Amino acid sequence: MKVLAGLTVVPLGVGVSLSAYVAECERILAEAGLHPRLHANGTNVEGEWGAVFAALERCHERLHEMGAPRVTTTLQVGTRTDRDQSLDDKVRSVESKLGRGAP
Amino acid sequence: MKVLAGLTVVPLGVGVSLSAYVAECERILAEAGLHPRLHANGTNVEGEWGAVFAALERCHERLHEMGAPRVTTTLQVGTRTDRDQSLDDKVRSVESKLGRGAP
Amino acid sequence: MKVLAGLTVVPLGVGVSLSAYVAECERILAEAGLHPRLHANGTNVEGEWGAVFAALERCHERLHEMGAPRVTTTLQVGTRTDRDQSLDDKVRSVESKLGRGAP
Amino acid sequence: MKVLAGLTVVPLGVGVSLSAYVAECERILAEAGLHPRLHANGTNVEGEWGAVFAALERCHERLHEMGAPRVTTTLQVGTRTDRDQSLDDKVRSVESKLGRGAP
């Protein structure tokens, strides 16, 4: 089953500068072929259900290896059966309603 | 890897009464041995990473079968390596700080 | 406008034991008359829009005073115009579908 | 208190095509001076606490006016006292760890 997901991974117990951890997770998601799109509060991915959650598990494992005793992820995951939709489709759909065309 | 998670499953395209869908998902999570604890905005589960996300995938599949063309889940998932902690431990830990003892 | 909300408040930069911070926030929400119901991954509240978000702002301020340089809250907030619904109604609605009666 | 927030607004009871509702909310957030940055699973904003949550309340009110009997928003809101940080700073911080420079 295809999934569009938004992830925010937060390591706890490693201070307040989290960007090195977020970057490591971004690399893992990219290597898994999930095409992560970073934004200011997380990253969006698309892929098969199993691939997405296996990659996220590797993110947790890796952040623990990097020294985080606790890792908490907030995520939104969407599936639909009415039509095939990509992350880019979702953005374009709203942009068109806002009267913003493709560049 | 053991996981504590909080899930809010929302079927879209089936109107505003969602309790039958939420109940079906609750059954699936219970059958998977995840001991779901229902609350007003979702349900909490504990179990192994793979078991939790396989059960959630079945929830999405089942809600699609029940007629929902679109299903979106918001979830928080936490792992920790410093100690073993259950859902009940988390509640007790805060309750004790509030000066509320066990019944 | 009446709101049902679920909050998970996470202070960053204060280590991995967060229960004292969560308890302080629970007190603030209770004092604001929002009837917080604690669960393993957060707390649920009900009240007017302005009251809920003013209380949450006080939680952030208080956690900063307690020493957290960074506070991040994940929340779900719902409003509806079709009927009046309480937190307890939401739980009862699912429980009844599960064939669990009131005690 | 300055806030960085990520919002996902979901109207229920209006079918599965939500982009017109999301676009309307995007307009309200922009008019409130919150500089929304749309992405595939929501939008990010920055501004003062009161301004952010007043604008989000207007989003809920407007979506109800447009016919949605139920509106649910998932949001992440972060505050910090250790330094001033913008949405763009957060992205740049991770990008630099990934070895991606400014264009």
Side-chain angles (χ1 to χ4, degrees):
Chain A
M1 187 162 46
K2 189 187 166 184
V3 165
L4 301 187
L7 316 175
T8 306
V9 180
V10 178
L12 294 171
V14 292
V16 295
S17 292
L18 309 182
S19 57
Y21 300 88
V22 173
E24 184 67 16
C25 190
E26 194 77 1
R27 272 184 216 109
I28 290 168
L29 297 168
E31 283 167 16
L34 302 174
H35 308 296
R37 273 124 169 125
L38 185 69
H39 62 82
N41 287 301
T43 197
N44 294 317
V45 297
E46 53 195 320
E48 286 298 307
W49 185 285
V52 167
F53 290 105
L56 182 58
E57 185 178 17
R58 283 198 295 281
C59 289
H60 275 241
E61 288 169 345
R62 181 72 189 111
L63 268 50
H64 286 308
E65 286 168 12
M66 288 171 74
R70 197 170 169 180
V71 180
T72 180
T73 293
T74 303
L75 79 107
Q76 292 168 282
V77 51
T79 56
R80 59 194 305 174
T81 52
D82 56 336
R83 64 186 183 97
D84 189 42
Q85 189 185 39
S86 69
L87 290 171
D88 290 343
D89 290 337
K90 288 184 78 172
V91 173
R92 269 193 295 263
S93 182
V94 178
E95 295 278 12
S96 74
K97 295 291 189 307
L98 288 166
R100 298 179 198 156
Chain B
M1 188 163 43
K2 189 185 166 186
V3 165
L4 301 186
L7 315 176
T8 305
V9 181
V10 178
L12 294 171
V14 292
V16 294
S17 292
L18 309 182
S19 56
Y21 301 88
V22 173
E24 184 67 15
C25 189
E26 194 77 0
R27 273 184 215 107
I28 290 168
L29 298 169
E31 284 167 17
L34 301 175
H35 306 104
R37 275 124 170 126
L38 186 68
H39 62 83
N41 286 303
T43 197
N44 294 317
V45 297
E46 52 194 320
E48 286 298 308
W49 185 285
V52 167
F53 290 106
L56 181 59
E57 185 177 18
R58 285 198 295 282
C59 288
H60 275 242
E61 288 168 346
R62 182 73 188 110
L63 268 50
H64 286 308
E65 285 168 14
M66 290 171 74
R70 196 169 170 180
V71 180
T72 180
T73 293
T74 303
L75 78 106
Q76 291 167 282
V77 51
T79 57
R80 58 194 305 174
T81 52
D82 56 336
R83 64 187 183 98
D84 189 41
Q85 188 186 39
S86 70
L87 290 171
D88 290 343
D89 291 336
K90 286 184 78 172
V91 173
R92 269 194 295 264
S93 180
V94 178
E95 295 279 12
S96 74
K97 295 290 190 305
L98 288 166
R100 298 178 196 157
Chain C
M1 186 162 47
K2 190 185 165 183
V3 165
L4 301 186
L7 315 176
T8 305
V9 180
V10 178
L12 295 171
V14 292
V16 294
S17 292
L18 309 183
S19 57
Y21 300 88
V22 173
E24 183 68 14
C25 190
E26 195 77 0
R27 275 185 213 107
I28 290 168
L29 298 168
E31 284 167 17
L34 302 175
H35 305 104
R37 275 125 168 124
L38 185 69
H39 62 82
N41 286 302
T43 197
N44 293 317
V45 297
E46 53 194 318
E48 287 297 308
W49 185 284
V52 167
F53 290 105
L56 181 59
E57 185 178 17
R58 283 197 295 281
C59 290
H60 275 242
E61 288 169 345
R62 181 72 188 110
L63 269 50
H64 286 308
E65 286 168 13
M66 287 171 74
R70 198 170 169 180
V71 180
T72 179
T73 293
T74 303
L75 78 107
Q76 292 167 282
V77 51
T79 57
R80 58 195 304 175
T81 52
D82 56 336
R83 64 186 184 97
D84 190 42
Q85 190 185 38
S86 70
L87 290 172
D88 290 343
D89 291 337
K90 287 185 79 172
V91 173
R92 269 194 295 265
S93 181
V94 178
E95 294 278 13
S96 74
K97 296 290 190 306
L98 288 166
R100 299 179 197 155
Chain D
M1 188 162 46
K2 189 185 166 184
V3 166
L4 301 186
L7 316 175
T8 306
V9 181
V10 178
L12 295 171
V14 292
V16 294
S17 291
L18 308 182
S19 57
Y21 300 88
V22 173
E24 184 67 15
C25 190
E26 194 77 0
R27 273 184 214 106
I28 290 168
L29 297 169
E31 283 167 18
L34 301 175
H35 309 294
R37 273 124 169 126
L38 185 70
H39 61 83
N41 286 301
T43 198
N44 293 316
V45 297
E46 53 195 319
E48 286 298 308
W49 184 285
V52 167
F53 290 105
L56 182 59
E57 185 177 17
R58 284 198 295 281
C59 289
H60 275 241
E61 288 169 345
R62 182 71 188 112
L63 268 49
H64 286 309
E65 286 169 12
M66 288 171 73
R70 197 170 170 180
V71 180
T72 180
T73 293
T74 302
L75 78 107
Q76 291 167 281
V77 50
T79 56
R80 59 194 305 174
T81 52
D82 56 336
R83 64 186 183 99
D84 190 42
Q85 189 186 40
S86 70
L87 290 171
D88 290 342
D89 291 336
K90 287 183 78 172
V91 174
R92 269 194 296 262
S93 180
V94 178
E95 295 278 13
S96 73
K97 296 289 189 306
L98 288 166
R100 298 179 197 155

